[in-house]
Every structure is written in structure tokens, then in C-alpha cells.
Amino acid sequence: MSSNCSVTRLQLDSVSQAECPSVHLLPCEIEHDGPAEVSQFFTATIKDRKHEKTVSFRGRGLKGREVSCPQGYTGLVLREVNKSGSDQEDRTVRVSSVFHKVTYWNLETSPNSDDGIVMAMAWPDLAEAVCVIQ
């Protein structure tokens, strides 16, 4: 009986060399896989209002909010060292940047507690509470 498992290895020494840039999660898909001078092309003039940020991206209104990683957690942006040919091959990744907060954007919809990233950031506290109850 064969197994379809693959292993992902993290190069731990890459954490100390990682950048700590501002991170934005945009509601779009960019059909490019490679380096990009993002800071040259994405300079957002963000307007802060109460609990919401607003910006225009390519003529479309975006509404966003900054969320922090749960206490004791750090966000990692990973990059494959050598791309494998299939999903079943082992992979090695390195940390290209780290973050402690991320600004996420919705297309013309105000941010709220039902947004996926907000629920994801709440998951560690919820998982801990469930473990304590059992």
C-alpha cells in the first residue's frame, strides 16, 4: 500500500534574515508568479475612519481593517527553495518575511467579524478554549 504524503521542510535559519514589511491582503487574483517591485507600484493613500480604512485600487473602492496575529504567534511568508514537480514530492521552504499584523481589504464592503481572516486570527484562542474544556 503506497502513501500519497509529502513532507514540507522549513529552513529555520531563514527566519533571522527575513524582512518585516507591511502586509496587505487584497481581494483580487494577480496572474504573476515571480518577483515584483510592489512598493514601486502599490503606494496606497489610505484614509483612516473610525474602525475602517478606505483606499482606491485601480478605480475600485476598497474598505479595510488592520488585524494583529494572535498573541504568541507570528505570521510567515514562505517561498519554495526548489519548486517540486508534483504535489507528492517533498518540498523545502524558507521564510522570506515575517509579520505581526496585516491589513485586509474588502471590495466595497465594510470589514466585519465574519471575514475569513478575522475568524482565522481568532482560531488559536478558540482551539485553546476547546482543549481546556475537554
Side-chain angles (χ1 to χ4, degrees):
M1 184 166 144
S2 67
S3 172
N4 288 338
C5 294
S6 63
V7 175
T8 301
R9 291 179 182 82
L10 172 63
Q11 292 180 338
L12 288 176
D13 60 337
S14 62
V15 174
S16 62
Q17 302 165 4
E19 299 176 13
C20 194
S22 61
V23 176
H24 294 265
L25 180 60
L26 297 170
C28 63
E29 184 176 324
I30 298 171
E31 294 184 16
H32 176 72
D33 185 14
E37 295 295 326
V38 175
S39 60
Q40 182 180 350
F41 299 106
F42 182 70
T43 52
T45 304
I46 300 171
K47 298 176 186 169
D48 283 311
R49 298 183 180 150
K50 294 185 183 178
H51 303 290
E52 179 178 280
K53 298 174 181 282
T54 60
V55 71
S56 178
F57 181 67
R58 298 184 61 102
R60 304 288 302 268
L62 301 178
K63 296 181 179 186
R65 185 170 103 189
E66 187 175 86
V67 292
S68 296
C69 293
Q71 187 174 351
Y73 288 81
T74 299
L76 304 176
V77 178
L78 304 175
R79 176 160 291 158
E80 274 193 89
V81 174
N82 295 314
K83 293 201 177 217
S84 61
S86 78
D87 290 340
Q88 287 146 17
E89 291 182 41
D90 291 353
R91 300 169 177 226
T92 302
V93 296
R94 67 178 177 80
V95 178
S96 62
S97 42
V98 298
F99 60 92
H100 300 284
K101 56 186 174 180
V102 60
T103 303
Y104 78 95
W105 300 96
N106 289 337
L107 185 60
E108 301 171 350
T109 304
S110 293
N112 64 65
S113 60
D114 291 334
D115 290 330
I117 187 138
V118 174
M119 291 190 297
M121 294 298 185
W123 177 250
D125 290 337
L126 178 61
E128 184 177 333
V130 169
C131 287
V132 171
I133 292 171
Q134 292 180 349

